[in-house]
Amino acid sequence: MFKNIKDRIMNKKRNENINENITENITEHEAWELNQSLDKNKALLQTILDNDDMVTFRDFETKGKASLKCFIVCVNGMVNNEMINENIIQPVTNASLDEISKQTKITDAFINKIIVSNSITKTSDVNQLVCSVLYGDTILLIENETEALIIDTKGWGMRGISEPLAERVVRGPREGFTESVMPNLALIRKRISNPDLKFQFKEIGVRTKTKTCLCYINGLVNPKILQELMERLDDINIDGITDSGMIEELIKDAPLSPFATIGNTERPDVVVSKLLEGRIALVCDGTPFVLTLPYLFIEYFQANEDYYNNYIYGSINRLLKGFGFFLSTSVPAVYVALITFHQEMIPTPLILSVFAARQGIPFPTVVEAVIMLIAFEILREGGIRLPGPIGSAIGFVGALIIGQAAVEAKFVSAPMIIIVALTGISNFLVPKMFGPLLVMRLLFLISASFLGLFGYLFGVIGLFIHLMSIRSFGLPYMLHTGDLKMQDIKDTTIRAPWWTMKNRPKLLANEDSNRQFTGNLGKKER
Amino acid sequence: MKKLFLKMIVLILIAANVFMVSGCWNYREIDEMEIILGAAIDYDEKSNKVILTAEYVKRSGGGEGEVGPEVVKTEGENVFDAVRNLVIKTGRKALWSHTKVLIISEDVARRKEQLISIMDWVQRLTETRDDIWILLSKEKTAGEILEMGIEAQKMVSMDLTDLLKNEGSISKFHAVPIWQFIDRIAADGISPTIPTVHKTLTEYKTMSEIFGTGVFNKTKLVGWLNGAETMSYLWVIGKLKGGILVLQGNDSNETGKMSLEIQKNRTKRKVNYSEGEITMQLDIKTTVRIAEIGGEVNYMDESATEKLENDAAELIQKRVDDVITKVQQAYHSDIFGFAGVVERELPDEWEKIKRDWDQVFTDLKTDINVEVEIRESALKSKPIKVGE
Amino acid sequence: MNKEVISDKQGISIIILYMVGTSSIFMTALEAEKDSWLAIIMALFMALIVAFILARIKTLFPEDDLFQIIEKCFGKFLGKGIILLYTGYLFYTGVLVLMNITQFINISSLDETPEIIIRVALMLLCVWIVKEGMEVLGRWSEFFVIPIIGFILIFICLSIPKMNIHHLFPILSVGITPMIHATHFVFAFPLGETVIFTIAISQLSVKKSYYKVYMTGVLIGGIILLVICLTNLLVLGINITSGVYFQTHLTASLIDIGGFLQRIEAVMTVVLILAGFIKLSIYLLATSMGVAKIFGRPDYRFVVTPVALLMINLSVILFDSIMEFMKWDVEIWPYFSLPFQVIFPIIILIIAEAKKKRTKNSIREQTCP
Amino acid sequence: MNTVAVIFLYAIIGSIETVSLYKNNPKKECVLYEIALLTAFIISLLLSAGVELPNPADYIRHMVERLVG
């Protein structure tokens, strides 16, 4: 980015020949340090920030005999105007520099005595100054000083903390992340008051310089995974990041797989519980979606509400979700396989009703299934972006047209409607898995239309080979799922009561695996 | 990553390749087939041809959900030929996997080669299931049993299946799935039976009824048992699960008929062997309850109950003895499976008499012990009292 | 070289799936008629002995697979010859397994689909999982062994109403010779093939647990086999059992609980496909490892696809019909496989023990002169 | 038709596998792979053309029968 600014100025020098008096004196080296002359500095900054009407320059002077000329630069709208007026301009204009001894530097005097702000840095690096201005800070330049002050005055408007729409809960905290990184981090921090919680900032995106923050708990996190993540983040070379989803795709394992190997959530409580399991969270500026990693397959089925409700209810929910996964992927494929390949496996009354329902339907069953599945996806996608009332209207129209009219017009058979509806609704049990489910459903359907149930079974085998071979940051994606060990089943197929979950997931955090410190209770079991 | 991508391409291309090369092989739309519910097989002696009558589901042609029966008749050199000819008649492939009943005519049952070819066809063909019920038609042809459903728009096969499943409460036939039939043919010494199906004319319509049994000697029909005899037969083989035992009250005062409902029955079969002679011992233990009393005698009395029990036991013993004697004398065919008991309990002896078991069976002595226990008397504790 | 390490439990799961594999669809010890379950018990004892021998060999050389052990014991030249024989044997057996599975699919339901298509589809999956390596295979088995055992248990429970204890009596009616034949056959077909695991499961995370893994796996697999065999016999009786190719399929198709839980032979088909897939994959893996070993290559992955294609080719050449296949299976197979299953392992064990002793002695001589 | 399918299939498998093979493996592996694939291809081609190939099962049968008797 710095280079870009430099290049631009150089280009200007060559092409436009304006501001000659300034630029001609600037050597390559000096150009990026501030000058003694306030005017020159101002001109330099104005050149850099020209054609940007959001940027405001404001000159003023200190009081007293030896009044010093100063000016500040800030970007309108990104700063807190009140703060600038009261904490910078007012003290500076009221201050007299007479009593300040000659020994102290003027800039230090400004920092220590005049300006009221909790965050001031001084620098002579023009690049840094420009970047700070553009990120909502205010810079103060003082006559005859080669160092300028960067004062934190960030104050752009932002959305308040509200309940995340995508992950609603009946029981549980209703806070959700917002689009700004700092308040998000605060939401995490306030839940873990522990010095071991570490935040590390990183900037991603050559042009956007998006602030991202790595959060982890020292001592719980697996250093290897952290190291791996750092390396992958450093490898990113992209000019802009607009959402954490882009980072996810850039660093995830098995990039071509439809399955997510990095999780995302809008809920601080989810992030905190993942941090406590030894995972790493990646907060990205500009998006409420926080990434958590490593991400295992089972996490698709672990809703945060499971942990707050009664454990039996939570366990049933989890089993239901697993069942929903099965239904959503398999129902169309199994239906097609049974109806067109293995008619002997359907009870006679059922096959008679299907037989009657399919009279006069023009399409083969497979085509019918594919059409209906696509129609369902269209309705879903169409309804999702529309504002509430219209969205529900779409739902009605869809239900009426697809359900009633299509059957009556002998366009599709009634059982197929039931199948598609079942598929679609069970889809919502695992809401984060829409993409993978859609892909799997169609693949299973196609393979079932080749070889019937055997084709479907081959599809399942293939799916599991794929799932078993994926890793998320070194961890097997299907960790724990093949195990019937009590310790591992506790938080996978069922949700055991909290007082039995004494240990963290083992492979994740190897340093400190005790979750509960109730005397020897936890240790005894190990 | 790249590998996976390539793998996907390979998969898709191979799938496409496969698809283009040969289409979908076993892919069959259900509405392009005829669902065969039942089949009846006759044999025409003159032309030496097999006649197959198949009941299948009628297409309603657009109506809502209504399904009715349709019957088609085909001829062929053998069963499989007739089955293939079905396609010509109906224009569509037949779906045999939902066939419930297979009715054979007497003509077929009396011919060994016909019967065997039918059994072989059923078991060899992937589609036909091995638990099809097999029935023997008492009418002239087997086909007419199925044909009578057209008039009433009732699926005869389904009705017959429902009836067959209620064997336990009727006990006038012994339902046999085809695999059991084949098993019995294959077993040494034992012969199979098939329940018989009849056509009865009531005032309103013709109906199908199942009672009685066709007795086979291995693969050849040799005789019949009627409904009551079949019940006794069930007693012998220990498959009796219910049914009514009607006793003629022989008390001095005016007693009507007594109905005893059989609740539980247990038949133990043993072989007694002494000095080269085999005696088959049957220990029958039946639990009944009083279902109907036609007179005024209170059988709740202990002595009366005991008497009733003894009467019932006697009756059962007589009936069982009768049926065994009938089968032994008239049919010489071990449909009771005594051979299996002998084989299990006296394997050495069995080896010797295996060859001429039919003869041994005919002369086999039986020792029948019956014990009847009256457990309850349904809702009533006393007979209906007739006031003075 | 990629050392693929798997855990004990994964090892046991693989062996169980392998044992259940193709042998769950058709019964093998039918020569012993009503006593085939006794034959299975006897064969199980023999198989446990063989498993013990193989575990002993593996414990002597915990780092190596069977091929490396052979090379160490017989020297480079002779060793290569024996490896070649073994590879041929594995390749050939793999083809038989492939044919078994596809014939079952073909005969039981997809009668109009060309067998070659099913073979290609199945082999595709095998190539995939073998290329992913033993670790994925182990995890896969560990995951699927639970539903498979569950399905078998359900199948047995649902068959109970149709069982007839008389089908088993009289015990020991067939005499000794058929009994020995049947035992030999059961041993040769699924139970004695433990030797393949010294190639496939060559690295366990716990070094000393080969005894546990091999013997537990064989024992559980054998018991499942026995139980399936008993169920078939009890439900069908020997007359029908010996008359059809796929007994378990028939038994499952007879299940009818209250009219609604019926026609569930698909469940047993699922078991067959899942377990058979693992079995086939292990043969493919072992054969590929053998081929790589013969040419002195450290990694086997490059040769998996050609081996799979050759297997498909051979499966087309081998038998024209299931009748021929079954006949061959009964008449030739038990003798053909005997040297590989029993004779070679015993020889290897003797040589290995001798070698170990010598090295121990030489070490002792060096340390205390 | 079968021949075309076989050629098509082998062409796909061969081309795709070879690319990743040559990238990741030493030369000897590649040569071995190509030889094995070619053998399989020739056999498949012959089979698809309907040529009767010798059946190894028969040889094994002879061998076993000679040994066991």
Side-chain angles (χ1 to χ4, degrees), chain A residues 341-342 344-346 348 451 453-454 457-458 460-462 464-466 468-469 471 476 481-484, chain C residues 9 105 109-110 113 121-122 125 128-129 132 135-136 139-140 142-144 146 263 266 269-270 273-274 277:
Chain A
F341 282 86
H342 308 276
E344 73 274 8
M345 284 176 191
I346 315 170
T348 309
L451 293 173
L453 273 184
F454 298 100
L457 212 54
F458 288 170
V460 172
I461 292 175
F464 275 91
I465 299 175
H466 176 61
M468 299 286 176
S469 61
R471 283 170 175 274
T481 32
D483 258 341
L484 268 187
Chain C
K9 234 175 98 195
I105 297 177
S109 61
L110 303 182
T113 312
L122 196 59
L125 291 170
W128 186 2
I129 200 168
E132 294 288 355
E135 217 182 314
V136 172
R139 231 180 285 139
W140 198 97
E142 195 185 17
F143 182 78
F144 275 105
I146 298 158
R263 302 167 182 261
T269 310
V270 168
I273 299 295
L274 293 178
F277 162 70

Side-chain angles (χ1 to χ4, degrees), chain B residues 200-341:
Chain B
T200 39
L201 287 156
T202 63
E203 278 175 52
Y204 313 105
K205 55 186 175 186
T206 45
M207 273 172 43
S208 54
E209 272 184 25
I210 304 174
F211 58 84
T213 304
V215 179
F216 282 69
N217 190 339
K218 281 296 163 194
T219 49
K220 198 163 176 301
L221 181 69
V222 286
W224 312 92
L225 296 180
N226 63 25
E229 284 166 343
T230 306
M231 191 166 169
S232 315
Y233 165 68
L234 286 172
W235 244 306
V236 178
I237 61 170
K239 288 277 165 69
L240 192 76
K241 287 181 195 114
I244 301 287
L245 188 68
V246 183
L247 271 181
Q248 184 67 51
N250 48 1
D251 269 26
S252 48
N253 45 1
E254 71 267 24
T255 42
K257 286 180 180 172
M258 295 271 315
S259 292
L260 298 180
E261 192 183 350
I262 293 157
Q263 291 204 297
K264 214 165 74 185
N265 177 58
R266 207 179 143 83
T267 306
K268 263 193 197 157
R269 305 194 288 183
K270 265 195 297 195
V271 182
N272 289 333
Y273 183 68
S274 60
E275 295 158 24
E277 201 181 32
I278 299 170
T279 316
M280 186 63 58
Q281 186 187 334
L282 297 174
D283 294 326
I284 297 171
K285 197 175 172 195
T286 310
T287 312
V288 299
R289 73 169 184 204
I290 299 168
E292 194 185 326
I293 301 176
E296 270 186 82
V297 183
N298 189 354
Y299 285 105
M300 266 36 83
D301 281 352
E302 208 163 289
S303 60
T305 311
E306 210 166 283
K307 187 174 179 310
L308 191 62
E309 282 177 349
N310 286 338
D311 286 353
E314 218 168 274
L315 181 73
I316 295 170
Q317 189 184 6
K318 189 175 172 299
R319 281 172 61 173
V320 168
D321 196 40
D322 282 352
V323 77
I324 293 178
T325 317
K326 180 178 177 186
V327 172
Q328 276 178 327
Q329 299 311 322
Y331 306 139
H332 315 289
S333 165
D334 180 10
I335 56 172
F336 306 112
F338 289 159
V341 186

Side-chain angles (χ1 to χ4, degrees), chain C residues 288-342:
Chain C
S288 307
M289 282 169 90
V291 172
K293 194 80 215 163
I294 289 168
F295 293 101
R297 300 284 97 201
D299 193 23
Y300 66 88
R301 280 183 176 77
F302 72 98
V303 85
V304 174
T305 321
V307 168
L309 289 170
L310 284 170
M311 275 186 170
I312 296 173
N313 280 332
L314 187 61
S315 74
V316 178
I317 302 173
L318 265 189
F319 300 110
D320 300 324
S321 65
I322 187 168
M323 285 91 80
E324 205 182 321
F325 178 38
M326 289 291 175
K327 193 161 167 257
W328 200 91
D329 231 16
V330 175
E331 285 176 1
I332 305 297
W333 175 252
Y335 303 102
F336 170 63
S337 60
L338 199 62
F340 300 100
Q341 290 171 350
V342 183

Side-chain angles (χ1 to χ4, degrees), chain C residues 205-314:
Chain C
S205 52
V206 185
K207 282 277 163 321
K208 298 243 158 153
S209 53
Y210 288 103
Y211 291 109
K212 180 185 147 201
V213 170
Y214 288 174
M215 296 185 71
T216 322
V218 170
L219 190 64
I220 297 178
I223 288 173
I224 290 175
L225 214 63
L226 175 68
V227 171
I228 289 177
C229 167
L230 273 175
T231 312
N232 285 339
L233 274 178
L234 281 170
V235 173
L236 298 175
I238 188 65
N239 294 317
I240 293 199
T241 309
S242 53
V244 292
Y245 287 129
F246 307 118
Q247 291 87 0
T248 315
H249 190 254
L250 180 58
T251 310
S253 75
L254 295 179
I255 290 173
D256 181 356
I257 306 292
F260 69 95
L261 199 63
Q262 54 175 342
R263 302 167 182 261
I264 56 164
E265 57 265 38
V267 169
M268 286 317 278
T269 310
V270 168
V271 170
L272 158 81
I273 299 295
L274 293 178
F277 162 70
I278 282 298
K279 189 166 189 169
L280 189 54
S281 303
I282 288 192
Y283 275 109
L284 183 59
L285 176 80
T287 313
S288 307
M289 282 169 90
V291 172
K293 194 80 215 163
I294 289 168
F295 293 101
R297 300 284 97 201
D299 193 23
Y300 66 88
R301 280 183 176 77
F302 72 98
V303 85
V304 174
T305 321
V307 168
L309 289 170
L310 284 170
M311 275 186 170
I312 296 173
N313 280 332
L314 187 61

Side-chain angles (χ1 to χ4, degrees), chain A residues 310-341:
Chain A
N310 178 293
Y311 72 97
I312 295 175
Y313 181 59
S315 301
I316 292 173
N317 271 353
R318 189 149 305 164
L319 290 173
L320 268 183
K321 273 179 208 141
F323 191 55
F325 169 72
F326 166 76
L327 283 183
S328 186
T329 49
S330 309
V331 164
V334 171
Y335 174 76
V336 167
L338 285 182
I339 291 296
T340 58
F341 282 86

Side-chain angles (χ1 to χ4, degrees), chain B residues 41-51 77 79 104-119 134 136 140 181 185 194 215-222:
Chain B
I41 294 166
D42 287 298
Y43 176 67
D44 185 18
E45 210 167 338
K46 272 179 227 148
S47 58
N48 190 20
K49 275 192 173 167
V50 170
I51 301 164
E77 295 298 327
V79 183
I104 57 174
S105 73
E106 209 183 313
D107 284 344
V108 174
R110 289 196 189 279
R111 276 177 184 76
K112 186 181 173 184
E113 70 285 354
Q114 290 298 335
L115 199 65
I116 288 186
S117 84
I118 292 169
M119 300 304 134
I134 184 162
L136 185 57
K140 215 166 155 200
F181 185 79
I185 290 179
I194 300 183
V215 179
F216 282 69
N217 190 339
K218 281 296 163 194
T219 49
K220 198 163 176 301
L221 181 69
V222 286

